[in-house]
Amino acid sequence: MGTVLVTGGSGFIASHCILQLLAAGHQVRTTVRNLRRAGEVRAMLKQGGAGEASNRLAFIAADLQADAGWPEAAAGCDQVLHVASPFPVGVPRHEDELIVPARDGALRVLRAARDAGVRRVVLTSSYAAIGYGLPAQAAPFDETNWTDATAAGLSAYTRSKTLAERAAWDFMAREGGALELAVVNPVAVFGPVLGPDYAASIVLVQRLLAGTVPGCPRLQFGLVDVRDVADLHLRAMTDPAAKGERFLASAGDFLSVLEIATLLKRQLGARARRVPTWQLPDWLVRLAAIADPTVRQVLPELGKVKNATNAKARRLLGWSPRSNEDAILATAESLLALGLVK
């Protein structure tokens, strides 16, 4: 087993990637912006059952917005999983707060990896770089689709992921050298939470369980379990078939917020007593958006019917994800077990 660098080790996807790499016997190095966060990462890994395997994990301080630390982080590594990217729950004051660190951070990691003789980088992109700003289509979106980053109404996050992935492929074409790149494009990531630092997508389930949303807006999206996202990263890291490819990570057909709420209500019984199962009319969501910029971000997606296919990852890499239902329930059970539903 070689040494693998995972960027942004305190993140939701990254922590699960580290768990699976350690379980497979790798030496793992991870970056955090401040080494004081190392204790939090180790606590999450302990929650995930890493045990003594976490002794094979080392930390390096590096920030996506600065050059310092990245050459040292990549030195001696065989592969790099570049997972780190800003994804706030709220709305940034300016979209460059997300775009600049996402795009420039990806380029910093790719340069450091190339210069260190790393064999392959796996970049965590997103469905956000695939299925937005485009005309409606009956066929499921796949890896040949690209979000139109110039389209009106795109969120800063969607634009950041699209521009960062485009920049990564452009870098590889111009100056990648012997370095290989593969990209994983997850839809909304659910699954077992290891601590209070979890993905923004988890907030939906947390708020439904807490009853802090009045109802279910007419939104539909794909979801996938974080353990399967990590598994796909590891497959893309080692399989020759993944070289130069992007892989859409989705558990199955897209679900509506109402379908997610109904599932929680049906499977969790009294523990889901506060989950709303009322369909919010669009006019009410638009009214709420006047005062809430977070709600304003979802307005372009109201009522849109979309889907995506995971056929490529299944066919080329033998990937077999858990069901939508398993991912949702794992999210809820972990939030409740850790006391994260107030």
Side-chain angles (χ1 to χ4, degrees):
M1 293 293 111
T3 300
V4 182
L5 171 65
V6 180
T7 67
S10 62
F12 185 49
I13 296 174
S15 58
H16 279 274
C17 287
I18 293 169
L19 279 172
Q20 293 192 21
L21 287 165
L22 292 173
H26 293 278
Q27 297 287 331
V28 183
R29 190 179 297 161
T30 192
T31 62
V32 286
R33 278 176 293 179
N34 192 308
L35 291 177
R36 286 195 296 269
R37 300 208 68 182
E40 298 172 34
V41 177
R42 292 199 183 278
M44 287 193 291
L45 298 177
K46 182 179 180 182
Q47 176 68 30
E52 292 185 2
S54 61
N55 294 333
R56 285 185 274 108
L57 173 66
F59 291 84
I60 286 188
D63 190 309
L64 293 176
Q65 300 191 73
D67 293 334
W70 292 111
E72 294 80 6
C77 291
D78 301 283
Q79 295 102 355
V80 173
L81 305 185
H82 178 41
V83 189
S85 188
F87 189 176
V89 173
V91 179
R93 287 170 296 179
H94 192 281
E95 65 178 10
D96 281 348
E97 292 178 26
L98 296 188
I99 292 171
V100 172
R103 182 193 58 218
D104 295 0
L107 294 176
R108 282 188 173 92
V109 171
L110 288 169
R111 285 193 193 96
R114 178 201 61 194
D115 294 347
V118 169
R119 286 203 296 272
R120 182 177 293 176
V121 171
V122 179
L123 170 70
T124 311
S125 184
S126 173
Y127 174 76
I130 287 177
Y132 289 85
L134 302 172
Q137 62 179 56
F141 285 88
D142 63 22
E143 293 83 355
T144 65
N145 295 113
W146 274 94
T147 289
D148 178 3
T150 66
L154 291 187
S155 71
Y157 175 75
T158 297
R159 215 181 298 276
S160 77
K161 296 304 286 188
T162 305
L163 294 175
E165 189 187 341
R166 286 283 197 190
W169 288 118
D170 289 347
F171 171 88
M172 292 300 297
R174 289 193 323 268
E175 52 187 301
L179 181 66
E180 298 175 358
L181 177 66
V183 174
V184 175
N185 298 77
V187 290
V189 183
F190 287 62
V193 170
L194 303 178
D197 190 353
Y198 47 78
S201 50
I202 300 291
V203 174
L204 171 66
V205 175
Q206 191 271 336
R207 289 179 178 171
L208 286 171
L209 290 170
T212 57
V213 288
C216 302
R218 287 197 317 129
L219 294 172
Q220 190 179 51
F221 53 87
L223 55 100
V224 63
D225 192 290
V226 66
R227 293 165 292 185
D228 297 318
V229 176
D231 175 58
L232 186 52
H233 277 73
L234 268 66
R235 290 171 185 266
M237 181 183 89
T238 56
D239 196 315
K243 176 185 176 182
E245 301 288 348
R246 61 201 307 235
F247 296 96
L248 223 163
S250 182
D253 289 339
F254 282 24
L255 295 180
S256 68
V257 176
L258 182 58
E259 287 173 311
I260 293 171
T262 302
L263 173 70
L264 291 170
K265 205 86 167 174
R266 183 176 68 246
Q267 295 293 337
L268 298 179
R271 294 183 295 166
R273 64 189 179 278
R274 290 179 287 183
V275 173
T277 53
W278 177 53
Q279 183 84 75
L280 288 173
D282 291 353
W283 66 264
L284 191 56
V285 179
R286 291 193 175 95
L287 187 64
I290 295 172
D292 189 338
T294 305
V295 177
R296 206 174 305 142
Q297 287 190 117
V298 307
L299 293 182
E301 297 301 306
L302 279 178
K304 284 190 177 179
V305 176
K306 290 184 177 182
N307 214 343
T309 175
N310 60 22
K312 182 178 178 180
R314 287 181 177 273
R315 183 181 72 252
L316 287 187
L317 303 183
W319 186 61
S320 182
R322 295 164 177 80
S323 68
N324 284 330
E325 291 76 12
D326 285 348
I328 293 165
L329 292 175
T331 307
E333 293 286 1
S334 64
L335 286 169
L336 291 165
L338 293 174
L340 295 173
V341 178
K342 305 301 181 187

